[in-house]
Amino acid sequence: MTYKAPVRDYQFLFNDVFQVEQYNNLKGFEEASSDVVSAILEEAAKFTEEVVAPLNASGDKEGCTLHADHSVTAPKGYKEAYRQMVEAGWPALGGDADYGGQGLPHYVNMAFSEMLTGASSAFAMYPGLTDGAIAALTAGGTDALKALYLPKLISGEWSGTMNLTEPHCGTDLGLLRSKAKDNGDGTYAVSGQKIWISAGEHDFTDNICHLVLARLEGAPEGVKGISLFLVPKFIPDAEGNPGERNSLHCAGLEHKMGIHGNATCVMIYEDAKGWLLGNAHEGLKIMFYMMNNARLGVGLQGLAIGHAAHVAAVEFAKDRLQGRALTGPEAPDKPADPILVHPDVRRMLLESRALIDGGRAFLTWVALQADLAKSSPDEAVREKANDFVGLLTPVVKAFLTEKGLKITQDSMQVHGGSGFTEHFPASQYMRDVRITLIYEGTNGVQALDLVGRKLPSKGGRAPMSFFAEIDAYVAEHEASSLVPEFVEGLKSAKAKLLDGTMWLMQNGMGNPNAAAAGSLDYLHIFGLTALSYMWAQMAQAAKQKIDAGDTDPYYATKLKVGQVFLKRILPEIDSHLQRMKAGSEDLFALSEDEF
């Protein structure tokens, strides 16, 4: 199986759908001309297809190794691939130019991240965690800390991690026990045990910079007493190079269902020297910069693995001979027809394609909002874009991972019994994708975040702005659209999303269990509406190219796939709305003894 990076899809999204060159007057965008970005996409495809993808299966089989001295080595080939990635400048693609980054827009870096993750999700997690550390350090670090650490993190010379979870607490971080003592010299002594720390120890970089949540002596109980510390594996010397080894180590590696090539570590801190990020007792505020970055990254991971699994399934469906087409032999010169002739195989492949195309557009649109929130000179544009990113982060994380699992599952089903063996890649993709629904906040937690925090925040400004965005698009295109069925589908989806929102407002305050019980269905309604918005824009752009005389078959194919979304996926919104409105009474009808 050969991984195929989605270069053409990103060119279509950047140039035809979102027409990103209209923003070339903004900081960072001026270097991102279509020619430059197209060249970046082509080179990214070459690197991920030829260097990283071949390591995916071997890395899965070998896994990581913990040695007696607490060091960890990654699977064969990982260190060399990481070196090539750093030398080519890929980690610095979207990094702040003031600290040695290339300063390109986030949407460009996001495209590379999807390709890297699709090629090998376990490998991509190493630089992916560093991106989150950069976000937190940028938000909470002093000028001196940023000057010392950011250039090395952005270049990939050093890497970063996120240390939240402890053996007795995961989502409920208010229970954490890790402690920090003030050393009186601007540093702190951090002690505690953290588990499930992705990329916590490895042999790629000269230093690993751990971001650790801990509680200062005398701090308030609960989440209000948590602080965030930068705790490097090696304490930088006067020249900023790795010096004395800090008092921390990896005490164990998790034996996991998937992502075997990534070192998931138990980390022990024993009065390790650390530096406070942000203010005391405000650690979660700073850590959320990293967590939100990670949640968007996990949504991307779910989609990227789904895409890779789909590529493998299409290849298998074209090659595997089994049975005959119901309408008569399609390959009479062969003993049987390729299974691609069978309607149910086509259903699974095309539903997956419609979700992948829509999900990729959604990721690109949200990444573009992040760019506008950062770079637009218009305060109103920045505010709206920032609202969109905050509102949609839980939707990206939960909806795209749920659909990534479905895509991967259907891709395995296309393989039949072969997919259940380790001779084909389907089983690895299935094992790798499953974690995406769990880590960085389970999808149930994401749904509660959407309903309980994001919807009512600032008087509901963000959802109302999102609804207004869709209403404006419908009003502009309803009468003159080249693809009226897509506009009508969007209008209907938005009406159902509004219906669900009003139901939550009317029922959620009086019965929080009812709102919580329907929260994941509501999130799916939101996700389907967002994908409907993306498909309306993609269909319009494709039809415009066709009507302008462009004979590239890509555009006609895009419209055909869009019809699958309209007819087979978007109708799911009705069942989600009905389930949401069922409330919680049936879920609480059983006593504990009846379970």
Side-chain angles (χ1 to χ4, degrees):
M1 196 285 292
T2 304
Y3 172 72
K4 297 182 180 66
V7 173
R8 184 68 182 87
D9 284 331
Y10 275 116
Q11 291 171 335
F12 172 63
L13 290 171
F14 293 168
N15 299 330
D16 301 324
V17 180
F18 301 123
Q19 300 176 11
V20 295
E21 284 200 326
Q22 67 182 294
Y23 304 112
N24 277 5
N25 60 318
L26 304 183
K27 182 181 180 182
F29 285 75
E30 67 272 13
E31 302 297 330
S33 67
S34 61
D35 289 345
V36 168
V37 172
S38 185
I40 290 171
L41 292 173
E42 295 286 356
E43 286 300 311
K46 183 178 180 181
F47 174 73
T48 55
E49 291 173 356
E50 297 178 7
V51 177
V52 179
L55 302 174
N56 196 42
S58 60
D60 176 62
K61 290 179 174 64
E62 181 184 351
C64 298
T65 304
L66 175 66
H67 303 283
D69 63 355
H70 303 294
S71 65
V72 172
T73 52
K76 292 181 180 65
Y78 271 45
K79 185 175 182 178
E80 173 60 20
Y82 187 87
R83 182 191 64 78
Q84 291 184 48
M85 182 176 66
V86 171
E87 288 181 353
W90 289 114
L93 202 62
D96 191 332
D98 292 338
Y99 296 99
Q102 297 177 38
L104 287 167
H106 181 56
Y107 71 83
V108 179
N109 189 54
M110 188 273 299
F112 170 69
S113 295
E114 197 222 313
M115 294 182 193
L116 190 68
T117 303
S120 175
S121 61
F123 178 87
M125 289 171 68
Y126 291 96
L129 268 295
T130 303
D131 285 343
I134 291 168
L137 183 57
T138 300
T142 62
D143 289 344
L145 286 176
K146 288 190 283 189
L148 173 58
Y149 284 91
L150 284 180
K152 292 180 170 63
L153 288 169
I154 287 172
S155 70
E157 181 182 347
W158 292 0
S159 62
T161 74
M162 177 168 56
N163 288 238
L164 287 78
T165 307
E166 299 181 4
H168 59 284
C169 75
T171 301
D172 191 355
L173 290 170
L175 300 176
L176 71 78
R177 298 171 184 160
S178 293
K179 300 292 185 182
K181 295 184 296 183
D182 191 341
N183 290 328
D185 61 357
T187 69
Y188 295 80
V190 178
S191 299
Q193 178 181 352
K194 298 290 184 177
I195 63 171
W196 304 340
I197 308 307
S198 300
E201 177 63 33
H202 56 81
D203 57 340
F204 297 172
T205 59
D206 294 335
N207 207 353
I208 303 175
C209 307
H210 302 283
L211 269 64
V212 184
L213 287 178
R215 198 182 302 278
L216 286 163
E217 292 178 315
E221 293 297 317
V223 296
K224 293 183 179 180
I226 298 173
S227 299
L228 180 62
F229 300 89
L230 170 63
V231 187
K233 177 180 175 181
F234 294 99
I235 299 169
D237 60 21
E239 286 73 41
N241 299 312
E244 178 188 354
R245 173 69 190 254
N246 213 343
S247 50
L248 60 92
H249 66 271
C250 171
L253 292 177
E254 298 292 347
H255 298 278
K256 303 165 294 185
M257 175 180 174
I259 54 171
H260 294 156
N262 193 268
T264 305
C265 302
V266 177
M267 298 299 300
I268 303 295
Y269 298 87
E270 300 170 305
D271 287 334
K273 182 177 287 189
W275 285 261
L276 180 68
L277 296 184
N279 296 320
H281 317 318
E282 294 184 0
L284 277 187
K285 177 182 177 182
I286 306 301
M287 182 59 91
F288 264 113
Y289 285 95
M290 189 171 194
M291 291 172 67
N292 288 334
N293 181 287
R295 287 170 176 173
L296 291 169
V298 172
L300 179 149
Q301 186 179 24
L303 183 86
I305 297 173
H307 166 76
H310 174 72
V311 168
V314 169
E315 185 175 293
F316 183 88
K318 290 179 178 180
D319 291 341
R320 175 68 167 171
L321 304 181
Q322 199 84 166
R324 290 294 189 186
L326 297 176
T327 54
E330 293 284 342
D333 58 323
K334 296 178 181 179
D337 288 334
I339 62 171
L340 189 61
V341 304
H342 302 305
D344 195 53
V345 171
R346 284 177 165 257
R347 175 191 62 79
M348 290 185 285
L349 292 176
L350 284 171
E351 286 181 359
S352 295
R353 174 83 169 269
L355 287 168
I356 292 166
D357 287 5
R360 183 173 292 121
F362 185 30
L363 277 170
T364 302
W365 187 79
V366 172
L368 185 57
Q369 300 308 308
D371 285 321
L372 293 176
K374 177 182 177 181
S375 301
S376 176
D378 188 326
E379 183 179 354
V381 171
R382 292 197 307 273
E383 179 182 87
K384 183 171 80 166
N386 192 59
D387 282 350
F388 284 166
V389 174
L391 172 70
L392 296 172
T393 292
V395 182
V396 167
K397 194 280 181 185
F399 184 76
L400 292 187
T401 58
E402 296 268 353
K403 295 309 182 185
L405 175 64
K406 181 189 185 305
I407 293 162
T408 308
Q409 179 173 291
D410 282 350
S411 297
M412 171 176 267
Q413 190 73 11
V414 168
H415 280 80
S418 298
F420 200 67
T421 72
E422 295 296 330
H423 297 294
F424 290 82
S427 59
Q428 182 189 346
Y429 290 132
M430 195 70 198
R431 288 185 284 104
D432 285 352
V433 78
R434 190 58 187 84
I435 185 60
T436 64
L437 286 73
I438 298 171
Y439 60 10
E440 306 307 339
T442 66
N443 286 0
V445 169
Q446 301 302 316
L448 291 176
D449 179 46
L450 174 65
V451 169
R453 294 180 65 246
K454 300 300 173 63
L455 290 184
S457 178
K458 299 174 183 175
R461 188 178 74 189
M464 291 303 108
S465 181
F466 184 70
F467 298 159
E469 169 101 0
I470 292 177
D471 287 342
Y473 184 87
V474 171
E476 180 181 353
H477 294 92
E478 192 169 19
S480 59
S481 175
L482 301 173
V483 284
E485 67 273 33
F486 286 89
V487 177
E488 182 56 37
L490 173 60
K491 182 179 180 180
S492 174
K494 184 264 174 178
K496 290 164 186 172
L497 175 59
L498 182 60
D499 184 8
T501 306
M502 297 304 295
W503 186 91
L504 284 173
M505 292 174 63
Q506 294 163 5
N507 295 273
M509 294 295 290
N511 185 356
N513 279 338
S519 60
L520 191 58
D521 282 297
Y522 177 78
L523 185 145
H524 275 270
I525 296 169
F526 223 115
L528 287 165
T529 304
L531 256 65
S532 184
Y533 184 31
M534 298 303 110
W535 266 112
Q537 295 177 78
M538 286 192 289
Q540 178 78 7
K543 189 65 165 62
Q544 285 176 335
K545 298 295 284 189
I546 293 170
D547 290 353
D550 197 312
T551 58
D552 186 343
Y554 177 90
Y555 301 111
T557 300
K558 187 67 68 177
L559 289 175
K560 293 173 187 176
V561 176
Q563 289 295 327
V564 174
F565 175 80
L566 284 181
K567 295 175 181 178
R568 296 183 176 273
I569 296 174
L570 191 55
E572 293 173 8
I573 207 167
D574 294 302
S575 62
H576 284 298
L577 185 60
Q578 184 175 347
R579 283 157 52 102
M580 192 195 85
K581 290 184 176 181
S584 61
E585 185 176 348
D586 58 327
L587 302 183
F588 286 86
L590 274 68
S591 67
E592 183 175 332
D593 292 340
E594 290 179 283
F595 275 89

